[in-house]
Amino acid sequence: MSKLKRGKACKQCRSLKIKCDGIKPVCGTCRKGPRHDDCEYSDGPPRSRTKALEDTVSRLEARLYELEHPESSTPPVRLYDPYGPQFPPQLSPSYAGSSSRSLLDAPYQVLQVLWPTDYSSPESHGFILSPLSSPSRPSSTRPLLGNGPGNSPLGIYGSRSIAALESKTSEQKIHETLLQIFRPHACQFGFFLSWDRLTQPAHKSSALFNALYMWGAHLSSDRQRELDFKQITLQTVDAELTPETFIHTIQTQVLLAYYSFRTGHFLEARAHTATAVALTLGAGLHVIRSLNHPDAPIVKIQEENDQETRLQASADLVEEGERINGFWTVYMLQKNLTVALEPRSRVCGVFETAGMPIDTPWPLEMKDYAHGILTPDIHGDSTVCSFLDAGNVFAERSSSVAAMNVKAAILFHTAVYMHGQYRPGEVQPWWTAFGVVERLTNSLRAELLDIAQPQGQSSTRTILFTNSLLNAATIELHSIFESDTMSRQSCFVAARDMFRFGGANPQELGHLNPMMGTLWMTACNVFIDELRRVRAALAQGLCPLQAVSQQEREKEILADLNAGLKVLSFFAQESLLMGHQLAKVKKSMETT
């Protein structure tokens, strides 16, 4: 391939800094992607700024409609060869600069501020996107926020042009659409704040808004905006740590952790999770309304003038609810991430440290706080320990969906830890704990709402996640005793129930918690192990009647396994993490 002249490569190859043959309408490199739309070249007449923004808004609105009406736009499920050259296109090693089609592909520059950002204005939510001819990175010498006329590319305030005002309006529409795309799936990725209060004029955390925009772009498959919003968030999140934005900083770290976990950047996920845990414990969110630690110290924040400012008490029940839910969100994040990334023998973390008090009451739905359900007489007293106490197996009834989700995560984490600590000939305390966890798991499963009952998709996703956690806990407990017929049957029933999805179709629910991939992989491994046993029995030679029975069982197992592979393959198209897990399952199948 002859070398192209400078500036003749398509915009996609130029942004990725890879070779381009310049073939039109789609170059050879993008065709391998594959790329379904034509390449953009800068040698033709450029689109106007207004036209670029209008196209972007139109595509965002189309994507929002697709997410709100999945039944009319659900793509077909495709299975990929994990060892093929294009497995799958979105999960190839070039994922960091994916050439997959973008729904927000208007060129732009992230830090081009149209005029100084005024935090006191209700219209201001952080950085303004300005479409330009090509993406660029922020200058190290340029301030991130304009604090005066000199920082504005338009000069003084009075020189704003009509085109600039039109651009600002279009950009605000993009921001609003990105938020709308993320909002229906927010709780699956650790969002715990009051959405109604988030958009009030008093909000000052640009890092949080940029994290939300990052997620909206990510769910819209706009890789370039996604990366740029991520960069801005990382640059600003630490600088905004003030008493007013403290809880928002925790929220931002949680969103970054889930994003890194979902996209397969596990070291970053650990770092953001550790920061969120440290901030949560430092703020005393683990002892809210504590009977045991009523005077627990609250973190002090050092201001620029060397004065220490204490985190103030909650102004009302909704703000207190944000802090309660924030603690349990971080708690769940730490547990799930540890289970997914660490061996069973090392799943204990800071929250399992001896003497660590956890007295915060169980979480509620945000609307419940607004309705005053968190009455003054509700207090926390060794919340987790009381739940795991053998004498309180049936003590907690009528829990919120959020509380049951946390409890299921606790049981799954505990089951994984017990599996890692088991040694043949275990003494009585281990068996006592085994019985407690099993009874709690069965009790919570019976208490869980029916997924098939009419309810909002957000609650359905959480219930599905909770049920999967409980089934995975059963599998972890009983897979220790693989030689025991009853334990193998318990594992098989739990795995099958996980892929029944309570009668719901997960492909119509939109985006799910990235931890679901780990749970589905656990269930798939149960079927693979059972398939090995059946085939080993057939290989030994059985009487005709037994052989027919085993062959029928083999068909049933394969049907259940294919159901798991189908849903895992579907979600692997958008999550690098699930793509890795799908590859692991298929690799394990090769030995059956």
Side-chain angles (χ1 to χ4, degrees):
M1 182 175 66
S2 59
K3 187 175 181 180
L4 287 180
K5 293 183 179 180
R6 185 178 182 84
K8 294 297 183 180
C10 74
K11 293 183 178 180
Q12 180 72 11
C13 292
R14 195 185 312 166
S15 65
L16 297 177
K17 297 184 175 14
I18 57 179
K19 290 183 179 180
C20 179
D21 55 20
I23 296 176
K24 299 180 181 179
V26 182
C27 73
T29 303
C30 291
R31 191 180 296 111
K32 294 177 183 178
R35 182 180 176 88
H36 304 294
D37 53 350
D38 295 345
C39 294
E40 284 191 69
Y41 292 89
S42 57
D43 54 355
R47 290 185 299 174
S48 66
R49 175 179 297 184
T50 302
K51 177 61 176 173
L53 284 168
E54 289 176 350
D55 292 345
T56 300
V57 172
S58 298
R59 291 177 180 176
L60 272 170
E61 290 175 344
R63 178 57 172 158
L64 181 60
Y65 178 84
E66 179 182 338
L67 291 172
E68 292 177 342
H69 303 81
E71 68 282 353
S72 62
S73 57
T74 301
V77 176
R78 295 170 295 188
L79 298 180
Y80 295 95
D81 178 6
Y83 306 103
Q86 295 180 358
F87 164 68
Q90 297 92 329
L91 304 176
S92 63
S94 61
Y95 177 80
S98 173
S99 60
S100 60
R101 183 175 183 180
S102 170
L103 296 171
L104 300 172
D105 56 0
Y108 64 98
Q109 182 177 7
V110 164
L111 294 181
Q112 184 75 21
V113 184
L114 294 179
W115 55 76
T117 304
D118 180 10
Y119 276 141
S120 63
S121 170
E123 299 176 352
S124 173
H125 294 310
F127 298 96
I128 304 297
L129 296 180
S130 178
L132 296 175
S133 58
S134 63
S136 64
R137 296 298 181 186
S139 168
S140 59
T141 59
R142 180 177 178 180
L144 293 177
L145 294 176
N147 294 318
N151 290 326
S152 172
L154 298 179
I156 61 174
Y157 290 89
S159 63
R160 301 173 186 169
S161 64
I162 295 177
L165 290 172
E166 291 177 350
S167 296
K168 179 179 174 64
T169 301
S170 298
E171 288 154 1
Q172 287 178 338
K173 290 182 179 179
I174 293 175
H175 290 172
E176 292 171 0
T177 307
L178 288 173
L179 293 178
Q180 291 176 39
I181 289 173
F182 175 67
R183 182 175 181 176
H185 310 88
C187 67
Q188 296 301 305
F189 306 117
F191 186 83
F192 57 80
L193 297 175
S194 167
W195 196 273
D196 294 334
R197 293 196 175 186
L198 184 69
T199 54
Q200 291 180 359
H203 193 284
K204 297 182 179 181
S205 177
S206 64
L208 175 55
F209 270 97
N210 280 300
L212 296 173
Y213 299 151
M214 173 193 72
W215 266 106
H218 174 66
L219 299 183
S220 300
S221 303
D222 188 329
R223 185 61 176 162
Q224 188 59 52
R225 274 194 172 87
E226 173 188 336
L227 292 176
D228 284 317
F229 279 128
K230 176 185 176 182
Q231 182 183 17
I232 301 171
T233 305
L234 293 174
Q235 289 175 337
T236 57
V237 62
D238 293 332
E240 293 187 351
L241 186 58
T242 66
E244 291 77 19
T245 61
F246 194 89
I247 194 70
H248 301 144
T249 300
I250 296 176
Q251 176 68 92
T252 305
Q253 293 289 352
V254 169
L255 292 173
L256 287 169
Y258 270 104
Y259 169 81
S260 300
F261 184 42
R262 176 179 163 91
T263 56
H265 297 86
F266 301 138
L267 187 60
E268 293 181 23
R270 294 172 192 266
H272 293 303
T273 301
T275 302
V277 170
L279 293 174
T280 298
L281 295 178
L285 302 189
H286 58 305
V287 288
I288 297 175
R289 295 199 175 202
S290 173
L291 289 176
N292 302 313
H293 304 83
D295 300 321
I298 301 297
V299 69
K300 294 182 179 180
I301 302 173
Q302 197 78 17
E303 300 287 356
E304 293 181 358
N305 56 4
D306 293 331
Q307 293 183 354
E308 290 183 342
T309 304
R310 295 173 65 89
L311 190 64
Q312 300 297 319
S314 303
D316 53 33
L317 289 178
V318 173
E319 184 175 329
E320 187 177 21
E322 288 182 329
R323 298 184 182 189
I324 292 174
N325 288 10
F327 166 74
W328 289 113
T329 299
V330 173
Y331 183 86
M332 273 192 66
L333 170 63
Q334 190 271 338
K335 284 191 172 295
N336 288 336
L337 200 69
T338 303
V339 168
L341 303 181
E342 298 287 352
R344 291 186 178 100
S345 59
R346 296 171 50 191
V347 297
C348 280
V350 63
F351 291 118
E352 289 74 44
T353 304
M356 170 62 68
I358 298 178
D359 297 332
T360 301
W362 294 113
L364 301 173
E365 310 303 325
M366 193 53 64
K367 61 179 178 8
D368 294 335
Y369 294 112
H371 294 159
I373 293 181
L374 188 68
T375 55
D377 61 305
I378 295 179
H379 294 281
D381 182 7
S382 302
T383 311
V384 175
C385 291
S386 296
F387 171 63
L388 294 175
D389 188 341
N392 292 332
V393 173
F394 300 101
E396 310 231 9
R397 291 287 184 179
S398 303
S399 298
S400 66
V401 173
M404 287 191 286
N405 193 207
V406 175
K407 293 175 183 178
I410 293 172
L411 292 173
F412 178 50
H413 178 273
T414 305
V416 171
Y417 174 74
M418 292 181 62
H419 189 141
Q421 297 298 313
Y422 175 77
R423 301 293 181 273
E426 278 290 352
V427 294
Q428 186 60 36
W430 190 94
W431 288 103
T432 301
F434 177 94
V436 169
V437 174
E438 185 176 35
R439 290 197 301 272
L440 281 171
T441 301
N442 294 333
S443 173
L444 192 60
R445 186 185 289 112
E447 189 180 347
L448 195 62
L449 296 176
D450 187 356
I451 298 177
Q453 290 180 352
Q455 53 200 334
Q457 280 197 337
S458 179
S459 296
T460 300
R461 296 186 195 100
T462 303
I463 294 172
L464 177 64
F465 182 34
T466 303
N467 187 64
S468 299
L469 285 168
L470 294 172
N471 282 321
T474 297
I475 293 172
E476 283 292 334
L477 279 179
H478 286 276
S479 60
I480 302 173
F481 314 107
E482 58 182 11
S483 61
D484 182 76
T485 303
M486 294 298 295
S487 288
R488 288 205 310 270
Q489 182 64 15
S490 295
C491 292
F492 189 83
V493 171
R496 174 174 285 181
D497 183 66
M498 195 183 301
F499 289 136
R500 292 293 185 265
F501 308 113
N505 184 352
Q507 299 171 12
E508 296 179 354
L509 294 178
H511 307 283
L512 300 178
N513 190 300
M515 187 65 185
M516 288 295 293
T518 300
L519 305 179
W520 287 336
M521 184 173 65
T522 301
C524 285
N525 288 334
V526 171
F527 295 132
I528 292 173
D529 290 341
E530 193 65 22
L531 197 60
R532 288 196 186 104
R533 294 188 186 94
V534 171
R535 290 178 174 176
L538 289 172
Q540 292 176 358
L542 300 172
C543 68
L545 189 60
Q546 290 178 322
V548 171
S549 176
Q550 290 297 322
Q551 289 170 357
E552 290 296 325
R553 180 163 178 78
E554 181 181 9
K555 291 180 182 179
E556 293 178 0
I557 296 172
L558 284 173
D560 290 322
L561 179 58
N562 286 332
L565 289 173
K566 180 179 179 181
V567 69
L568 195 53
S569 299
F570 177 84
F571 285 96
Q573 297 179 62
E574 62 178 29
S575 171
L576 185 64
L577 172 65
M578 292 196 186
H580 290 326
Q581 291 161 337
L582 176 64
K584 289 180 180 179
V585 172
K586 290 191 173 183
K587 186 175 181 179
S588 180
M589 289 177 61
E590 294 178 354
T591 61
T592 59

